[in-house]
Amino acid sequence: MGSIDGEIPAVWFLISSIGFVILTFIQYRNTGKSFNTIFLSVMAIIFFVSYIILLIPR
């Protein structure tokens, strides 16, 4: 069992970005290009970039 020390594992950013991609696809299919679709796609990009940043060794 993991300890709670305030560190967010990098895999959660990957899981979140995949979730945002799925939600973006569903939103785009239902309503087309809208503000919500653009917002979800930007959130997916931000979370994926955060995942990549966390993987870069310091």
Side-chain angles (χ1 to χ4, degrees), residues 4 44-45:
I4 301 175
I45 293 168

Side-chain angles (χ1 to χ4, degrees), residues 14-29:
L14 180 62
I15 292 169
S16 299
S17 68
I18 292 170
F20 279 123
V21 168
I22 293 169
L23 288 175
T24 302
F25 176 72
I26 293 170
Q27 178 72 20
Y28 182 76
R29 192 177 59 183

